[in-house]
Amino acid sequence: MSTPVLIAIIAGGVLLLVLLVALLLKGGKSKQPARACLQCKRNMLPTWSKCMFCGWTPGARLEFILGPLAGQNVRLTEDMTTLGSVAGNTIVLADPAVSKRHVAIRRAEGEFEIADLGSTNGIYVNGHKVPKKSLQPGDIVRVGNTELVFRRE
């Protein structure tokens, strides 16, 4: 082989190596910090909806701060939780401003989304009337005359 061909092959190899190292370094940095599994205590990647080591799934709870359930906490253990004023809902609120089937909270891929089910008075998250919203820890939800705080566990 001639000298220019060898120089081109070596330069291409060095360039490829530099690109691979750069990609590995960039790919290793996550925008979100890892969180620890509350069951086995191992680090979970931010994209995991459950612990791949032990199967634990992060949960959430509703902390009622105003209304008939004030002072109580309710864990969100099902994929779909409904709140309303009649039996048949997951959480029954004895609140005259709450519709029969007022709101639903859905768990999907480790996240929680709240949605109005066509209620008369709507739902408010952090003071804003919304038809549906992805819930974040600390969000204050108002359903009728009842207020609750969304908490992650």
Side-chain angles (χ1 to χ4, degrees):
M1 274 196 218
S2 67
T3 305
V5 172
L6 284 173
I7 292 174
I9 291 172
I10 292 171
V14 169
L15 182 61
L16 181 61
L17 184 60
V18 168
L19 284 172
L20 283 173
V21 169
L23 284 173
L24 287 173
L25 290 175
K26 183 180 179 184
K29 293 180 182 174
S30 174
K31 292 180 182 177
Q32 298 176 339
R35 63 179 191 254
C37 169
L38 293 181
Q39 185 168 312
C40 71
K41 307 297 184 220
R42 292 183 176 174
N43 280 338
M44 297 172 38
L45 292 178
T47 57
W48 293 358
S49 60
K50 67 177 186 175
C51 179
M52 297 300 177
F53 301 108
C54 69
W56 173 80
T57 303
R61 64 184 164 87
L62 302 176
E63 179 184 318
F64 288 86
I65 56 175
L66 188 65
L69 297 179
Q72 295 185 38
N73 289 290
V74 177
R75 292 196 72 230
L76 300 174
T77 58
E78 300 178 23
D79 289 336
M80 182 74 73
T81 301
T82 59
L83 287 83
S85 62
V86 297
N89 287 290
T90 313
I91 301 171
V92 178
L93 297 171
D95 180 339
V98 172
S99 296
K100 292 178 183 177
R101 285 184 42 87
H102 200 110
V103 66
I105 300 174
R106 179 177 66 100
R107 179 202 316 237
E109 299 176 17
E111 298 299 319
F112 291 83
E113 180 181 71
I114 190 166
D116 189 342
L117 298 175
S119 68
T120 303
N121 296 322
I123 58 172
Y124 293 80
V125 178
N126 300 323
H128 301 284
K129 188 172 185 176
V130 294
K132 139 166 84 165
K133 184 184 181 308
S134 180
L135 290 172
Q136 302 302 315
D139 278 349
I140 299 174
V141 178
R142 184 176 187 94
V143 179
N145 296 317
T146 299
E147 283 190 5
L148 53 102
V149 180
F150 176 77
R151 305 273 189 212
R152 294 300 301 248
E153 297 181 325

